[in-house]
Amino acid sequence: MQQNETPQPPSPQPPSLLDYLEVIAKRWKMIAAITIGAAVITAIITLFMPNIYTAKAMIIPSDDDKGGMGALMAQLGGLAGLAGGAVGAKTTGDLYVTMLKSETLKDPIIDRFKLLDVYEAKYRTDVYKVLDKNAAIALGKKDGVITIAVDDKDPKRAADMANAYVSELGKLASGLNMTGAGNNRAFLEKRIAEARADLSKAEDGLKAFQTKNKAISVTDQAQATIAGVAQLRAQLALKEVELGTFQRQFTDTSQEVKTTKATVASLRSQIAGLEGKGGASSSIPNVGNMPQLGQEYLRLMREFKIQEAVLEMLTKQYEVAKISEVKEVAPFQVLQKAKVPERRSKPVRKKILMIVLVGALAISCVTVLVQEELQREVKNR
């Protein structure tokens, strides 16, 4: 005889979407109260939040020079990079951003606008932190434009501070450029004095030889090759000066030093190919077959031409350095001067209120659903 099995109670079904909607409809007053209460509190809080105004200034880093300096730099081509001094062309934008964030640039702004009192700060380090927060400085990766956006409660002060950042950057960059150009000028003065002494010695040697041995016939091709070697020697001398300048400013691993070293090595290789080791290995025509007097004359002439070309190039570079030293124009262009903002940028009260409304509505709905579920579990026990 089989025993009757005890029937099992049906397993509870999970609540459906309709069940959730019924709970929300049943407790709509609670949901409305929470949502409206949060919105009212948020509206009151935002009314007491101070209005913040944002002023923006934009600059374009530039190493282009105008007028006489531009003409001299055009003659010298890449060698004119020496005149830049402290500001390298490849990293100018990043360097300017670093300068804008430096305490050296912030100090005159703090003093000019009395920011210790404005920000109610006891120490200058506290003002630095507030400035870092209120002044957003960004470099455009595609266009290279630097944007300086300053937030402040006073719209006029926001614009004045943004423009002050630009003016102080101009002063600092010009000062660094002039200092670098001054160092280059002093270095070039020493090198020019040496070049003049070498040229005078070469000239005296050539004249003495000509006086003693009268005229020596040298082919036009040999003279042209000598002139080419002299130009290469002069370029090598300038590149060595440039390398020395870069090595004082950058590390040996920097791109500037590596590139200049490669150029120096290339020029030395070209010169070695033209000069050879004397005799038949030389590219100067007939040097290997000329009589002893002819070879000596050719050597003296080559030395004279080299020193003459070196002195000419060094003198041009020296003029560039002198102009750079007294140049007071900021090495960047102002794309946009900061204007007094007409509307506040913060707080965006409508946006804040909408976020709070949606958040409060979601939280209140979840709250009533959790409460309903807890009450259902208590009844089933």
Side-chain angles (χ1 to χ4, degrees), residues 135-269:
I137 300 166
L139 172 65
K141 297 302 180 183
K142 293 184 178 180
D143 53 20
V145 175
I146 298 176
T147 302
I148 305 165
V150 178
D151 293 341
D152 199 271
K153 298 176 183 178
D154 184 342
K156 186 177 184 306
R157 185 166 59 215
D160 291 342
M161 285 178 62
N163 290 326
Y165 266 95
V166 175
S167 63
E168 292 300 330
L169 175 64
K171 294 176 184 177
L172 183 57
S174 296
L176 291 175
N177 274 335
M178 286 187 285
T179 300
N183 293 334
N184 291 335
R185 178 189 54 76
F187 185 76
L188 285 166
E189 281 178 350
K190 180 180 178 181
R191 187 67 185 86
I192 286 173
E194 295 173 355
R196 281 177 177 162
D198 292 339
L199 177 60
S200 178
K201 183 178 178 181
E203 186 177 14
D204 292 341
L206 183 60
K207 285 181 178 179
F209 183 87
Q210 289 175 327
T211 301
K212 180 179 179 181
N213 299 287
K214 308 301 178 184
I216 298 292
S217 177
V218 178
T219 65
D220 293 339
Q221 188 177 358
Q223 292 186 25
T225 306
I226 289 172
V229 172
Q231 287 297 317
L232 287 174
R233 282 282 188 182
Q235 291 180 33
L236 175 61
L238 262 287
K239 277 296 176 184
E240 287 175 342
V241 172
E242 184 176 352
L243 177 60
T245 301
F246 282 150
Q247 286 178 329
R248 294 198 307 271
Q249 296 174 359
F250 309 107
T251 63
D252 289 338
T253 57
S254 68
Q255 189 60 41
E256 290 83 355
V257 173
K258 288 181 179 179
T259 302
T260 310
K261 279 185 175 180
T263 305
V264 168
S266 176
L267 286 170
R268 286 175 177 169
S269 177

Side-chain angles (χ1 to χ4, degrees), residues 295-312:
Q295 291 186 27
E296 179 66 16
Y297 177 71
L298 205 57
R299 184 188 66 79
L300 292 171
M301 178 187 289
R302 181 180 61 183
E303 183 64 22
F304 172 73
K305 291 293 184 182
I306 288 171
Q307 297 305 329
E308 189 177 49
V310 168
L311 181 59
E312 181 183 358

Side-chain angles (χ1 to χ4, degrees), residues 121-140:
K122 185 176 181 181
Y123 301 105
R124 188 170 285 259
T125 52
D126 297 329
V127 181
Y128 292 148
K129 293 178 182 178
V130 177
L131 270 180
D132 289 337
K133 181 181 177 182
N134 291 347
I137 300 166
L139 172 65

Side-chain angles (χ1 to χ4, degrees), residues 7 25 32 64 79 109 136 171-172 197 201 205 208 217 229 286 328 346 350 361-362 377:
D64 295 332
L79 297 175
I109 295 176
K171 294 176 184 177
L172 183 57
K201 183 178 178 181
S217 177
V229 172
N286 300 325
E328 297 181 355
K346 303 173 187 176
K350 290 182 180 179
L361 180 61
E377 288 181 2

